[in-house]
Amino acid sequence: MSHLFILFFATFSASLMAVVFPGLINITAAKTSAKKGKTSGIIFSLGASTTVIFQAYIGVLISKYLYKNPAVIDILLKIALVVFAFFAVYFFILAKQKKEAKPQRKVKIKSRKNVFFKGMLISALNVLPIAYFCGLNAAWNVSGWIKFQLWDILVFIIAAGLGTFAMLYMYVFYFDKLQERTDTFSRYSDYILSALMAVLLIITFLRLFYS
């Protein structure tokens, strides 16, 4: 049982560090918090973390297969390439339309259920965490921290989800405290997301080219 504690904290830390730098999910979480309030940001983060749990589970199931079939990794990267290219253009167009649009009355905040599923959807669009959790799974297996039993898998995927949520909550809390910069951040958040998608697009392309 002692290896389960090591497995939990190792996976929690690795998952937390995976989203410590600005990316699509954490920037969107901060954007949601800035526009709709801290509660909506937390609900969005819960949705995104729920998807991460499923991604971690998929990573456990196919880790061995990925090592025996490297072509699968190339397929995942190609899918990511298309997704990042689409959203780089999408967020840029969205930012342009928002800049040119006339001021409108405030609309009612979308339901919490919609915000939750939005978090799940945006998190699901990023397929790279599957490969990341496959690598973690293989590393922990070599270290003897995971034995591919039911409790090991449950601890692994729950720790992955909690680690992601912990970092997303920090983003939500941090931006929520900057009340005087909320309008500025909201105005340029789509440009930031577009730039991040472009960076991820370049990185993914280089990884495909290099491999």
Side-chain angles (χ1 to χ4, degrees):
M1 290 292 293
S2 61
H3 77 280
L4 293 178
F5 293 100
I6 299 175
L7 174 62
F8 177 85
F9 287 109
T11 306
F12 179 90
S13 301
S15 180
L16 186 145
M17 293 302 297
V19 289
V20 68
F21 296 107
L24 173 61
I25 300 174
N26 35 24
I27 288 296
T28 307
K31 173 184 174 182
T32 302
S33 176
K35 288 184 175 181
K36 302 176 182 179
K38 180 179 176 181
T39 300
S40 293
I42 293 175
I43 294 173
F44 173 90
S45 301
L46 285 172
S49 302
T50 300
T51 296
V52 168
I53 290 177
F54 286 106
Q55 290 175 328
Y57 181 64
I58 294 173
V60 172
L61 294 180
I62 66 176
S63 58
K64 292 182 180 180
Y65 180 77
L66 287 177
Y67 276 98
K68 294 180 181 178
N69 301 272
V72 177
I73 298 179
D74 291 336
I75 294 174
L76 291 176
L77 289 174
K78 288 176 182 177
I79 294 174
L81 197 68
V82 175
V83 170
F84 292 148
F86 172 80
F87 277 98
V89 176
Y90 170 78
F91 284 118
F92 183 78
I93 295 176
L94 189 65
K96 282 289 186 181
Q97 291 177 343
K98 185 183 299 183
K99 184 177 181 180
E100 296 172 359
K102 296 180 180 180
Q104 299 178 352
R105 294 181 180 179
K106 292 185 178 180
V107 297
K108 293 183 179 180
I109 297 175
K110 293 182 178 180
S111 69
R112 294 179 178 181
K113 183 179 179 180
N114 289 341
V115 174
F116 179 84
F117 284 113
K118 179 183 177 182
M120 291 189 67
L121 175 62
I122 292 181
S123 183
L125 291 173
N126 185 9
V127 297
L128 292 180
I130 296 177
Y132 178 72
F133 288 118
C134 283
L136 281 183
N137 189 265
W140 296 173
N141 186 32
V142 172
S143 303
W145 295 343
I146 190 169
K147 301 176 181 179
F148 296 101
Q149 297 176 354
L150 178 61
W151 281 108
D152 296 65
I153 295 174
L154 285 175
V155 169
F156 181 83
I157 64 176
I158 291 174
L162 289 176
T164 301
F165 177 76
M167 181 53 65
L168 292 180
Y169 181 81
M170 292 181 190
Y171 268 85
V172 169
F173 183 79
Y174 176 72
F175 282 106
D176 183 67
K177 286 296 181 181
L178 298 179
Q179 295 293 336
E180 69 278 5
R181 299 183 182 179
T182 294
D183 293 337
T184 301
F185 177 75
S186 298
R187 190 181 309 120
Y188 294 104
S189 57
D190 289 317
Y191 282 112
I192 295 173
L193 287 169
S194 178
L196 286 172
M197 290 299 96
V199 171
L200 290 173
L201 176 66
I202 295 172
I203 293 174
T204 306
F205 178 80
L206 292 176
R207 289 183 60 182
L208 273 171
F209 182 79
Y210 179 76
S211 60

